[in-house]
Amino acid sequence: MLKKFLRDPLLMFVVLGAVVFALYYSVEDASQEVVELSEINRKVFAEQFEMLTGREATAEDREKIESDYIQEEVLFREAIKAGMYLTDPEVRSKLIEEMRYQVTGAIPEPEETELVAYYLEHIDRYFVEATYSFRHVYFEQLPENADAILAQLQAGEEVAGDEFWRGRVLPNYGISMIRGMFGKAFLDELGTHMDGQWYGPEESLLGWHYVLVTGATERSPLTFDEARMQVTNDYTVDKLQQSVEDYIDGLGDEYKIIRHSGE
């Protein structure tokens, strides 16, 4: 039989062709990804539908639910293959946050003693910042009679100026707010004019001002009770961050970190 097979080219061609065909399809099937819709999933999907809609799922409903599941599963896998999590900032951010939660879990409610200890360890964080109170006359453009206006104000006369959206009297403004609204140079100048006299014109990010400082308070610490909410938030954030750092450290040499100096 073997001799007949070897002597018959046509028979050999047919048999070898069948073998190659079988091998091709076995490899092709092995390379295909399986998207499985288990009986358990089908049951769960139907139960979820009925709970949300308040009615029994019809055959058409089940077909739609299962079709949507298969579509979403295929699209999800294609998105992973396409590396969308590497190029889409929103997808990347969502995955990072989800992984962060998986790593940290829910942080237990801190004990009072833990919060007090944390507050004392980081007490420099918890304070009421310094403030200034001042009046000002605002001009969008530097006025031509700048010196004359200053003389009028110092003499106790009223000067109209331009309308300012926050008004003319600005009481107890924190230094961070003043810096943000008017600029650092404007803020620095306030501290050098505590003599109760008008000065200006002083340029800010918004225009030109004649200014009279009427009061100031220094930075002062918050008590634990006053800072409790902020302390609790900071404590929780630090605990979460430490959990992530511990997880990454536990990965050992799985990642090689290269930091470029940027020079």
Side-chain angles (χ1 to χ4, degrees), residues 84-233:
M84 288 183 64
Y85 56 95
L86 297 174
T87 58
D88 189 314
E90 291 186 13
V91 174
R92 173 184 168 86
S93 177
K94 177 63 177 176
L95 288 175
I96 290 172
E97 286 308 308
E98 182 60 30
M99 190 64 207
R100 194 188 302 276
Y101 180 77
Q102 292 295 325
V103 168
T104 62
I107 299 297
E109 192 74 22
E111 298 288 339
E112 182 86 356
T113 53
E114 292 176 310
L115 290 178
V116 172
Y118 185 89
Y119 162 77
L120 293 174
E121 183 181 354
H122 303 91
I123 197 166
D124 286 344
R125 295 182 184 177
Y126 308 111
F127 61 88
V128 178
E129 66 178 358
T131 69
Y132 285 103
S133 298
F134 59 97
R135 295 173 59 196
H136 73 130
V137 177
Y138 169 70
F139 291 90
E140 292 183 4
Q141 303 293 330
L142 178 64
E144 295 181 1
N145 55 337
D147 292 340
I149 292 174
L150 178 60
Q152 286 179 273
L153 290 168
Q154 290 178 340
E157 299 178 19
E158 289 292 325
V159 176
D162 296 325
E163 184 177 352
F164 188 76
W165 64 293
R166 287 254 180 184
R168 287 195 170 200
V169 180
L170 306 180
N172 298 314
Y173 271 49
I175 59 174
S176 59
M177 180 177 287
I178 296 171
R179 186 187 300 112
M181 286 178 58
F182 300 100
K184 185 178 183 302
F186 184 93
L187 171 63
D188 291 343
E189 198 66 25
L190 286 174
T192 66
H193 291 85
M194 303 297 296
D195 55 2
Q197 296 293 319
W198 284 93
Y199 71 92
E202 182 69 26
E203 187 176 15
S204 78
L205 298 175
L206 302 172
W208 296 85
H209 311 257
Y210 293 89
V211 183
L212 174 65
V213 179
T214 57
T217 63
E218 296 183 357
R219 165 175 156 158
S220 59
L222 288 169
T223 66
F224 172 73
D225 286 338
E226 291 171 331
R228 179 187 294 272
M229 185 177 295
Q230 188 179 347
V231 171
T232 303
N233 180 70

Side-chain angles (χ1 to χ4, degrees), residues 10-44:
L10 180 60
L11 180 60
M12 183 183 295
F13 177 79
V14 172
V15 172
L16 289 176
V19 171
V20 170
F21 185 81
L23 287 173
Y24 172 79
Y25 276 99
S26 66
V27 171
E28 184 179 46
D29 290 343
S31 67
Q32 287 183 309
E33 289 190 44
V34 176
V35 178
E36 182 178 1
L37 180 60
S38 68
E39 189 60 35
I40 293 176
N41 280 345
R42 298 177 72 180
K43 182 179 179 182
V44 169

Side-chain angles (χ1 to χ4, degrees), residues 24-78:
Y24 172 79
Y25 276 99
S26 66
V27 171
E28 184 179 46
D29 290 343
S31 67
Q32 287 183 309
E33 289 190 44
V34 176
V35 178
E36 182 178 1
L37 180 60
S38 68
E39 189 60 35
I40 293 176
N41 280 345
R42 298 177 72 180
K43 182 179 179 182
V44 169
F45 293 155
E47 289 175 351
Q48 289 176 339
F49 175 87
E50 291 169 3
M51 182 175 64
L52 290 172
T53 62
R55 64 177 177 82
E56 185 176 353
T58 64
E60 185 178 352
D61 292 330
R62 292 173 183 268
E63 177 64 28
K64 177 68 166 59
I65 294 168
E66 293 170 8
S67 177
D68 288 346
Y69 167 79
I70 292 171
Q71 284 186 12
E72 290 176 3
E73 185 65 20
V74 171
L75 290 174
F76 169 74
R77 297 187 189 191
E78 288 299 304

